[in-house]
């Protein structure tokens, strides 16, 4: 099967993988440590959409769960 036979959303480029790794490993922890909830949530949204588009539903679900828990905690 060539890459032409695979739907476009399944083909990941090396730069996309590096970008998501950087967001997960460096950017999100940095903004969380700073206490910048808005920026952390914005990058979580970007990752969520990326994982949903590329079929990594487990990671998307984990992000959604963390987001839901942080929002309910702030309401208490």
């Amino acid at each position: 099967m060539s890459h032409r036979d695979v739907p476009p959303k399944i083909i990941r480029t090396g730069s996309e993988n590096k970008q998501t790794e950087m967001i997960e490993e460096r950017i999100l922890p940095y903004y969380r440590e700073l206490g910048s909830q808005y920026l952390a949530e914005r990058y979580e949204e970007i990752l969520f959409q990326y994982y949903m588009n590329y079929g990594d539903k487990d990671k998307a679900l984990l992000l959604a769960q963390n987001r839901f828990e942080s929002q309910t905690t702030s309401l208490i």
Side-chain angles (χ1 to χ4, degrees):
M1 176 187 268
S2 75
H3 73 279
R4 291 184 184 132
D5 299 330
V6 179
K9 68 179 190 175
I10 295 180
I11 298 172
R12 297 185 195 187
T13 66
S15 65
E16 286 175 331
N17 287 335
K18 288 179 184 178
Q19 289 170 355
T20 56
E21 286 176 20
M22 181 177 278
I23 291 171
E24 284 178 318
E25 297 171 6
R26 300 190 72 188
I27 294 174
L28 276 176
Y30 175 76
Y31 286 131
R32 287 177 180 148
E33 187 176 319
L34 282 179
S36 181
Q37 184 176 351
Y38 172 78
L39 290 173
E41 287 177 357
R42 182 65 190 119
Y43 280 101
E44 286 173 345
E45 289 173 18
I46 292 168
L47 283 177
F48 177 82
Q49 286 301 321
Y50 178 83
Y51 293 141
M52 290 299 291
N53 290 339
Y54 287 102
D56 202 340
K57 307 289 190 225
D58 291 335
K59 285 187 176 184
L61 182 59
L62 185 59
L63 280 170
Q65 180 180 2
N66 290 342
R67 178 81 178 267
F68 179 75
E69 288 173 357
S70 71
Q71 286 182 349
T72 56
T73 302
S74 66
L75 294 174
I76 297 176

